Amino acid sequence: MNIARRVLYVVTLSWALGLPAGAAEPIAKHHMIAAANPYAAQAGRQMMRAGGSAVDAAIAAQLVLTLVEPESSGIGGGDFMMVFDPRTKKVVSYDGRETAPASATPDMFLDATGKPRGHFDVVPGGLSTGVPGVIAMFDMAHRKYGRLPWAKLFVPAIKLAQNGFPVGRKLAATLRAFPQLAGMPDIKRYFYKTDGTPLAQGEILKNPELAATLRVIAKRGPKAFYRGTIAQHIVDAVQHAPVNPGGMTLADLASYHAVERPAVCGEYRTYRLCSMGPPSSGGVAVLQILGMLERFPATQLQPNSLSGVHLFTQASRLAFADRAMYLGDPDVVNVPVAGLLDKSYLAQRSTLIDPTKDMGMAVAGTPPQKHANFAPQKSQQLPGTSHLSVVDDRGQVVAMTMTVEFVFGSEIMANGFFLNNELTDFSFDPARDGKPVANAPAPGKRPMSAMSPTIVFGPDGKFVIATGSPGGPAIIDFVAQSLIDMIDGGMTAREAVAAPHMLNLNSPTILEKDTALGSLSAPLTAMGHTVSARELESGLHIVQRVHGGYVGGADPRRDGVALGD
Ligand code: GLU
C-alpha cells in the first residue's frame, strides 16, 4: 500500500485538536471511519486499505473496542448494525441484541415484597447478563457483506491484546469515577495495580486471555463462541458471579440467533432516513421527533436558539411518552411501528406542541394499528455504549451502535472480556395498573434499547450522513439533534458532534453544563420548563458525504477520531 499516493489524512482527535468550527476540513476521497478510540478507527481503516468493506471495517473496529474501550462495548454485549448496500440501494439492519436466558421470569427484578429492586443493586453479577449477540451478528453481516476473510478482521485486536495498549483518557477516567468497581474481583484483577490504584492514562494494559479467545473465534468462527470452552466459561461466570448469580446455560448460548430486520425508514423534509427498529425504540423515536418538528420552518430550529431548544424538547416529550407505552421486542409484543410513524398521527401529535410554553408530562397517543393495551414502563438505562460510522470505497455505509449497557456491563469477565448487564434495560415492573408492560422480561426476549444508528440520504437519493451515539435513552435526543443541526442548521459532522446538547426525556429539560445553552435557562424557565444543567456523555461519531468525498466528526466528549484516505 503506497500511502503517499493517498490523500494525506489528518487524524481528527477532536478534543485535542480543537480545530475552530468552520475551518477547512480534511476530505477523504475514498473511505472513512469515525469511532470512539483511535486504535479502533485505525483497525477499521486498515481493513479498508486492504480492500475490505465497511462491514469488515466495523467488525475489526468493534473487536478492538472490546479491548480498548471495555467500559462501553465488546463481544460480551450486543450491537445493532445498519448497512446501506450501494448495489441494491437498500438499507438492512442487523439485530445482535442480547436475549434473556430461558430461566428469565417476569418478576426477576422484583424483591420479596413484589417491588422493583434498586437499579444499581442488580447491575453487577450474572442476573442482568443477556446472551451476547455481537459475534453471531458479525457472522451474519460478514457472510453477506464481508470482502476480507473472517480471520483477518481479528488481527488488529489480537495484536493489541497480546502486545498491550496505552490506557485511554476515558477508560482511566471511568476507573477513577467508579472506585466502588474495585469491589468486583475481575475488575480489581484486570485494572488495579498492587499499590491499590487503578491504571492511569498511558499505562500499558495487556490482555493475553482476550488475544487467545479472539484467536479461537478467528479460526473456528462463531460456533467457538456459542459452544464449547468459551461458552462454558461465560456460563460459569454468570452462574458463579460474586453477586446476583444468574441462570444462563449452555443451551441459551447455543440457541442464540442474530436477526436481519427491515430498517425503519421515514422522511424529514427532502431527506430520507433509515434507522434501527424494534427491539430498539431509537429509530421510531428519532423519526417521530423529526416528523413532529417538520411543520416548523428550519429558521425556528436553529442550533442554540430558544425556539429550537423549546420545540425540540416538546417533540421529544411526545416521542418518549409513546416509547414508554408501545416499544419492546417485536418477536414477543406487537409494536405498532407503522402507526407510530403514520404521517397524520404525527401531524396530530405535533398540534400538542405549543411554541410558547412547556406542555408538562406528555402522555402516549393512540396510533393507528395499536394492538394491545399496555401500561407505560418506568425504566432507567445507563451509559455503557459506543457508536461508529463507516463508508467504504464502493459506497457501502455502516452505522453501528454497540453496548454492554452500564460501564463494564455486569462487571464480570469471561475469557478476557466483560459480560453485559443488558437485561436491566427491561422494565423491572412486568405490569402496572393491571396492564402488562410491553418491555417486561421474558425468556428469550430482547430488552428494549434506545440505540439509534441512522443513515440519511439526500434529495438526490445519495448517502449523506451516518450517525449514532451512546447515552442510554438520551441517545434518541443526541441523534435527533445531530440530524436537525446538520439538516436544518447546516452544520458539518465535526460541528454537529461538538454542539451543546439539550434533552427532554419527558421529564425536566436538561441543558449541557457550561455551554452556550446556559443563557437559555431563564427564558425556558419563563416558558414553564423545569431546567437543570448537567454534563452529558454523548459519543456521536458521524461520517458525512460532502462535495469531493467524506468528512467525519468524533465526539469531543470521548477519545475518538475520524480517519480516512
Ligand atoms: N443499553 C442501552 C440501550 O441499549 C444503551 C446504554 C448506553 O447508551 O450507554 O439503549
Side-chain angles (χ1 to χ4, degrees):
M1 160 64 42
N2 181 356
I3 294 171
R5 276 178 43 215
R6 295 193 178 263
V7 177
L8 179 64
Y9 202 71
V10 178
V11 173
T12 321
L13 191 53
S14 40
W15 58 270
L17 203 59
L19 284 174
E25 294 187 26
I27 294 176
K29 285 195 164 35
H30 307 284
H31 51 238
M32 173 165 257
I33 176 166
N37 184 284
Y39 290 104
Q42 280 160 14
R45 185 180 56 176
Q46 188 184 325
M47 295 302 130
M48 293 192 284
R49 284 180 172 176
S53 64
V55 166
D56 291 327
I59 295 173
Q62 162 72 101
L63 294 170
V64 169
L65 288 171
T66 302
L67 175 74
V68 300
E69 203 198 28
E71 70 277 22
S72 294
S73 72
I75 61 172
D79 290 2
F80 292 132
M81 181 195 271
M82 312 295 304
V83 184
F84 168 63
D85 179 345
R87 291 167 308 182
T88 61
K89 307 262 179 280
K90 289 218 164 66
V91 178
V92 294
S93 69
Y94 290 103
D95 169 351
R97 186 69 164 169
E98 302 89 331
T99 52
S103 55
T105 59
D107 58 2
M108 64 191 286
F109 294 124
L110 300 179
D111 66 17
T113 69
K115 289 212 186 64
R117 293 178 62 187
H119 198 92
F120 287 102
D121 294 346
V122 288
V123 165
L127 187 66
S128 64
T129 303
V131 180
V134 172
I135 292 292
M137 191 205 77
F138 283 174
D139 177 50
M140 195 177 226
H142 182 258
R143 278 172 194 276
K144 191 148 170 196
Y145 291 114
R147 292 178 66 90
L148 298 175
W150 170 258
K152 192 173 168 77
L153 312 180
F154 288 70
V155 171
I158 292 171
K159 267 195 191 153
L160 215 47
Q162 192 65 48
N163 301 336
F165 68 98
V167 167
R169 184 191 61 96
K170 187 167 82 70
L171 173 53
T174 306
L175 290 168
R176 277 199 312 275
F178 296 94
Q180 67 276 20
L181 292 178
M184 292 298 277
D186 288 339
I187 293 194
K188 176 113 190 179
R189 180 177 49 80
Y190 187 39
F191 292 125
Y192 277 70
K193 298 178 281 189
T194 42
D195 68 0
T197 61
L199 288 168
Q201 182 177 356
E203 289 185 298
I204 301 297
L205 180 60
K206 296 184 183 180
N207 190 337
E209 202 183 353
L210 179 62
T213 302
L214 295 176
R215 268 189 211 106
V216 173
I217 306 169
K219 191 160 166 218
R220 297 193 25 233
K223 64 178 183 312
F225 183 90
Y226 291 98
R227 292 164 196 274
T229 317
I230 298 174
Q232 185 63 55
H233 288 166
I234 294 172
V235 165
D236 289 346
V238 167
Q239 293 189 355
H240 304 294
V243 288
N244 298 317
M248 192 186 296
T249 63
L250 284 174
D252 290 320
L253 279 147
S255 60
Y256 183 85
H257 290 291
V259 187
E260 181 179 328
R261 299 187 189 274
V264 168
C265 299
E267 279 89 43
Y268 181 61
R269 307 200 195 278
T270 52
Y271 292 79
R272 180 167 170 76
L273 297 88
C274 291
S275 189
M276 189 68 210
S280 183
S281 60
V284 168
V286 167
L287 288 169
Q288 280 198 318
I289 291 173
L290 298 182
M292 288 184 279
L293 289 177
E294 201 170 12
R295 76 177 165 103
F296 299 97
T299 48
Q300 289 181 26
L301 299 175
Q302 289 304 297
N304 303 342
S305 69
L306 180 61
S307 60
V309 173
H310 172 70
L311 295 173
F312 183 88
T313 59
Q314 304 306 289
S316 180
R317 274 191 181 280
L318 292 162
F320 270 88
D322 276 356
R323 170 188 189 260
M325 185 73 95
Y326 296 112
L327 270 297
D329 181 349
D331 297 337
V332 181
V333 291
N334 219 328
V335 184
V337 174
L340 290 164
L341 297 178
D342 180 83
K343 277 205 183 292
S344 43
Y345 172 66
L346 289 178
Q348 169 231 318
R349 292 285 280 167
S350 181
T351 61
L352 300 172
I353 299 176
D354 179 339
T356 63
K357 69 174 202 300
D358 179 42
M359 70 176 67
M361 181 74 110
V363 294
T366 310
Q369 304 168 353
K370 163 173 131 44
H371 306 276
N373 243 348
F374 292 119
Q377 68 163 319
K378 278 190 176 167
S379 73
Q380 193 182 359
Q381 284 169 312
L382 300 162
T385 300
S386 203
H387 176 84
L388 60 83
S389 297
V390 198
V391 58
D392 73 17
D393 298 63
R394 291 158 215 89
Q396 185 184 96
V397 183
V398 167
M400 179 166 84
T401 314
M402 314 72 88
T403 185
V404 288
E405 176 34 27
F406 190 44
V407 287
F408 305 113
S410 61
E411 302 160 25
I412 56 174
M413 294 177 89
N415 273 81
F417 57 86
F418 281 94
L419 295 172
N420 68 84
N421 67 299
E422 219 66 51
L423 302 189
T424 60
D425 274 359
F426 281 123
S427 165
F428 284 19
D429 283 312
R432 295 177 64 214
D433 306 327
K435 289 183 194 161
V437 170
N439 185 35
K445 193 173 174 184
R446 289 160 145 87
M448 183 189 76
S449 168
M451 297 192 289
S452 318
T454 303
I455 301 178
V456 184
F457 304 90
D460 58 1
K462 288 192 181 153
F463 158 73
V464 278
I465 299 165
T467 184
S469 178
I475 289 173
I476 290 165
D477 281 5
F478 293 150
V479 171
Q481 189 195 340
S482 74
L483 292 166
I484 290 168
D485 285 351
M486 295 177 80
I487 293 174
D488 290 329
M491 283 185 167
T492 63
R494 203 181 62 212
E495 291 165 340
V497 296
H501 293 311
M502 70 263 186
L503 300 179
N504 192 310
L505 314 180
N506 204 11
S507 50
T509 293
I510 300 166
L511 303 178
E512 189 169 15
K513 213 172 157 180
D514 303 327
T515 67
L517 292 179
S519 64
L520 299 181
S521 177
L524 285 167
T525 307
M527 292 167 83
H529 290 249
T530 304
V531 182
S532 66
R534 265 196 10 219
E535 277 176 19
L536 292 174
E537 260 282 325
S538 59
L540 287 155
H541 293 98
I542 303 180
V543 170
Q544 178 185 21
R545 186 174 59 80
V546 292
H547 189 68
Y550 305 102
V551 294
D555 199 314
R557 301 161 191 84
R558 292 216 166 183
D559 293 348
V561 294
L563 296 177
D565 292 297

